[in-house]
Amino acid sequence: MKLDPKALRYMSGDDFRVLTAIEVGSRNHDIVPEPLIAQLSHLRGGSVKKHISDLVKRKLVASESGAKYTGYRLVYAGYDYLALKTLSNRGSVVSVGNQIGVGKESDIFIVASEDEKEVVLKLHRLGRQSFRNVKQKRDYFRPNQSPSWMYMSRLSARKEYAFMQVLHEHGFPVPAPVDQNRHCVVMELINAFPLRQIDRVADPGLLYSQLMDLIVRLAKHGLIHGDFNEFNILLKDDGSPVLIDFPQMVSTSHPNADFYFNRDVDCIRTFFKRRFGYESVLYPKFALDTDREFDLDVKVAASGFTKKDQSNLEKLMDAERAAEQSEQDDPSSSDGDSDSPASGNEGHGSESGDDDSDLGDDRVRQKD
């Protein structure tokens, strides 16, 4: 989905007050009624109507009619603006450049910080592909509850940032974390190319060994990447690897830890055989090569990303994988609406934290 921050410069503090009120109201309302928006924003009703109308025109919120009333819901574009506003106020993101990556669950842009340093902005967008099928799979959730994609995207971003911080502090080859808010993560821009784009390396055996050593080193620190493949490995000019993308990372104490570890190993073995014609009889095994020496998973939990957060996120990811498999088995089951996951804001809502409502000056601009 396109990220266009141009309208930010024209939005007033009251516009953001109303947008934040809709976000907060989404905690307990799928469709937020106008009187509640006025109450939460502390603005007069007539003023609220005008601001809501402007937000609808800018496609930051959507108007919907429920069984008893007409109300409003936050969409991903509005959630983007709330996050950009806070990151701008902190000086982490003051201009937005080109999009450099897109996936099923994220969009990635080059942005600039207040000190004019180029960094990377990653926006988590869980549920973009198969949210409708997941909503239909009620066995993954409590009765009468469907997933809040914005809440889950925020959890995914918090998880990635927490793991990136811990890994960077302990000398792992990962981007340096810069900032995080809602569903957005800001990180160091590394001059490197994804492994999937590379057809030749000087020494496939050396790179293979480095990657297997990295998998084992993570496990000895109590962690398993969970998605260790050519899409999430960058190669720098000197040939050294950099690991990215951590939302699926799990602890070595996870009930399925051996499965995730062995899958990571098999992904690298399969890729090297297919791409470089390299195959080694030597590869690590979870039961033999992962004596735990450190507890970085415990440190991540202590940083604020709790076991409950992890459980909620894993539940959703399991549901999404099941939905994707369902779509592959029966393509007609998908309605093709890929930009509507925000309509799933039931139950949890956006769960705006104390630091997610910073409504100071507006400085984000489109970078030339």
Side-chain angles (χ1 to χ4, degrees):
M1 122 176 231
K2 186 177 180 181
L3 176 65
D4 185 359
K6 292 178 181 177
L8 268 169
R9 70 185 70 182
Y10 305 112
M11 291 176 64
S12 67
D14 285 349
D15 285 329
F16 275 99
R17 197 173 300 281
V18 171
L19 191 60
T20 302
I22 296 173
E23 177 190 27
V24 174
S26 297
R27 293 180 181 181
N28 300 310
H29 295 77
D30 184 24
I31 303 172
V32 186
E34 188 175 307
L36 179 60
I37 298 171
Q39 178 185 342
L40 292 171
S41 63
H42 302 289
L43 297 173
R44 291 192 302 252
S47 174
V48 167
K49 284 182 180 293
K50 178 185 181 302
H51 292 299
I52 290 176
S53 176
D54 290 342
L55 293 174
V56 171
K57 288 178 182 177
R58 292 185 173 119
K59 299 182 179 180
L60 304 182
V61 301
S63 172
E64 282 196 5
S65 297
K68 298 181 179 180
Y69 61 87
T70 297
Y72 303 90
R73 61 176 176 83
L74 189 66
V75 298
Y76 260 132
Y79 206 42
D80 292 347
Y81 269 41
L82 287 168
L84 284 173
K85 181 71 170 178
T86 302
L87 294 170
S88 170
N89 293 339
R90 296 175 181 171
S92 303
V93 177
V94 297
S95 64
V96 177
N98 295 329
Q99 184 168 4
I100 59 172
V102 61
K104 290 184 296 183
E105 299 174 347
S106 65
D107 291 321
I108 303 170
F109 296 83
I110 292 181
V111 298
S113 60
E114 193 171 41
D115 59 3
E116 299 184 354
K117 181 179 180 181
E118 286 192 333
V119 289
V120 171
L121 172 69
K122 179 175 180 179
L123 299 94
H124 290 245
R125 302 198 190 281
L126 267 65
R128 174 157 57 189
Q129 297 295 323
S130 53
F131 76 101
R132 289 195 185 278
N133 274 346
V134 177
K135 285 179 69 177
Q136 293 166 6
K137 294 180 179 296
R138 295 285 184 175
D139 54 309
Y140 287 97
F141 301 94
R142 295 192 301 270
N144 301 319
Q145 180 193 18
S146 60
S148 166
W149 296 108
M150 289 182 186
Y151 172 67
M152 292 300 180
S153 293
R154 180 184 172 191
L155 277 186
S156 180
R158 283 180 55 201
K159 177 180 180 179
E160 176 152 51
Y161 191 73
F163 276 101
M164 199 183 306
Q165 280 185 309
V166 168
L167 291 171
H168 187 262
E169 288 171 2
H170 287 79
F172 281 86
V174 301
V178 176
D179 202 353
Q180 185 267 323
N181 182 263
R182 293 178 173 85
H183 63 317
C184 296
V185 176
V186 184
M187 68 189 82
E188 172 190 12
L189 174 63
I190 294 179
N191 185 20
F193 291 93
L195 182 58
R196 63 183 173 84
Q197 295 180 0
I198 296 175
D199 295 324
R200 294 182 188 174
V201 293
D203 189 340
L206 175 61
L207 179 59
Y208 174 88
S209 296
Q210 289 175 328
L211 295 178
M212 292 301 179
D213 287 346
L214 183 53
I215 292 175
V216 172
R217 184 183 168 199
L218 282 168
K220 288 183 178 294
H221 282 73
L223 300 173
I224 299 170
H225 186 277
D227 202 16
F228 198 101
N229 55 47
E230 66 272 19
F231 294 91
N232 297 323
I233 298 166
L234 307 179
L235 282 193
K236 300 201 299 191
D237 290 340
D238 61 3
S240 60
V242 177
L243 190 59
I244 60 173
D245 202 30
F246 311 106
Q248 298 190 74
M249 186 164 270
V250 298
S251 167
T252 52
S253 60
H254 190 283
N256 298 320
D258 56 342
F259 168 78
Y260 291 120
F261 180 91
N262 294 331
R263 186 177 67 178
D264 282 354
V265 170
D266 288 341
C267 282
I268 296 303
R269 297 186 70 213
T270 300
F271 175 77
F272 269 70
K273 182 178 180 180
R274 183 180 70 248
R275 178 64 58 87
F276 305 126
Y278 179 87
E279 186 173 12
S280 174
V281 296
L282 301 176
Y283 57 92
K285 300 176 180 62
F286 183 77
L288 300 176
D289 301 303
T290 58
D291 294 335
R292 187 177 175 122
E293 299 175 2
F294 302 95
D295 296 316
L296 292 192
D297 54 334
V298 176
K299 188 168 183 178
V300 168
S303 72
F305 189 81
T306 65
K307 289 183 178 180
K308 181 180 179 181
D309 292 336
Q310 176 73 14
S311 176
N312 286 339
L313 191 56
E314 285 182 5
K315 184 184 294 186
L316 180 83
M317 287 185 167
D318 287 344
E320 188 160 3
R321 291 188 196 102
E324 289 175 356
Q325 186 60 50
S326 175
E327 288 179 8
Q328 292 174 8
D329 296 340
D330 181 14
S332 64
S333 65
S334 173
D335 61 8
D337 186 355
S338 63
D339 284 331
S340 304
S343 63
N345 281 356
E346 303 171 15
H348 291 289
S350 296
E351 292 292 331
S352 177
D354 293 338
D355 64 340
D356 286 352
S357 300
D358 187 355
L359 301 181
D361 65 317
D362 167 24
R363 295 176 291 169
V364 175
R365 64 186 186 276
Q366 183 71 37
K367 187 178 178 184
D368 295 332

